[in-house]
Amino acid sequence: MDAIRSAVQPITHNLPAPIRDLGISIVGETCYKALLLDVDVENTECVKFAVSKGLGIGIIAASSIVKVPQILKLVSSKSAEGVSFLSYLLETSAYLITLAYNVRNGFPFSTFGETALILGQNVVISVLVLNYSGRATVAAVLVAALAAGAGTLFAENLLDMKTLGYLQAGAGVLGVASKVPQILAILQEGGTGQLSAFAVFNYLAGSLSRIFTTLQEVDDKLILYGFISGFLLNAVLALQMMYYWNAPSQKAKGKRKAKTVLTETRSTSTATLKKGPTTRRRG
């Protein structure tokens, strides 16, 4: 360890000022000194804190594109088959409340930053699902309602912290409940339809990581229990995704069956026409 420390310290002690300032802003001056200047890897508190920060930044970076494959899948197929609007509506509402709760409590951005990014992508997906379901007017109403809700949640003169705390408790329930319609939709369809596997598995990994970062950085049971419950239901969705990986939906099966019957009917008709009436010569 002494050999590693002597090799690393000349580098860490001479880092450019912007990198040094960035490191201090992420892990704090105490842990920056312990981990980078003193290279004290036995300082478990700082090591866990640094890992938590790294996971938080990684989750935020991944969340910037986590729903993009789902958006592209909807746009390319122009179909909302297998995607539950109710699931996205509940999740979007929960994320909006959680974002306001974290911002107004002044929690570190690394512990909730992905909420804002996923919220924006959820709104896009919800609008696409409504449009492809023939409910464009409802999509406009949804956007207006979310804008009004955001204005109320972030305004301290309209909503006090005690009430927002109650709403956050409800948001935890909404976040968990938002997975149930999607799970039921998959069971009903007998397949995952246009649901993105990339989004499902990234959600699973992200919710697991968030349990760790919340335990390390945020002393709030409301947020912790929400992430634990979300992880369990995300695990169910991931298992469904694996089970129905190559299985066509019931709608697709119906189309295939109808196509097969139509093909068989046409073949029978063609064979009858070819056979036609026969005449025998009598002697």
Side-chain angles (χ1 to χ4, degrees), residues 33-53:
K33 180 179 182 300
L35 297 177
L36 290 177
L37 299 183
D38 299 338
V39 194
D40 182 12
V41 294
E42 294 179 0
N43 189 327
T44 55
E45 288 300 316
C46 281
V47 169
K48 287 192 292 185
F49 184 69
V51 170
S52 175
K53 285 294 186 182

Side-chain angles (χ1 to χ4, degrees), residues 97-190:
I97 295 169
T98 300
L99 179 63
Y101 182 77
N102 278 275
V103 169
R104 288 180 59 178
N105 272 292
F107 292 143
F109 184 74
S110 61
T111 64
F112 71 89
E114 78 281 1
T115 303
L117 298 171
I118 295 175
L119 175 62
Q121 294 169 73
N122 274 357
V123 173
V124 174
I125 292 171
S126 298
V127 169
L128 288 174
V129 170
L130 288 171
N131 277 329
Y132 294 138
S133 302
R135 293 177 287 175
T137 305
V138 180
V141 174
L142 172 67
V143 173
L146 289 173
T152 303
L153 289 167
F154 282 92
E156 295 182 10
N157 59 325
L158 294 178
L159 194 69
D160 59 79
M161 283 304 301
K162 184 177 180 180
T163 306
L164 186 57
Y166 291 140
L167 288 176
Q168 176 57 35
V173 177
L174 279 180
V176 174
S178 69
K179 308 298 177 185
V180 176
Q182 184 62 71
I183 291 170
L184 295 177
I186 292 173
L187 289 173
Q188 184 178 1
E189 292 282 341

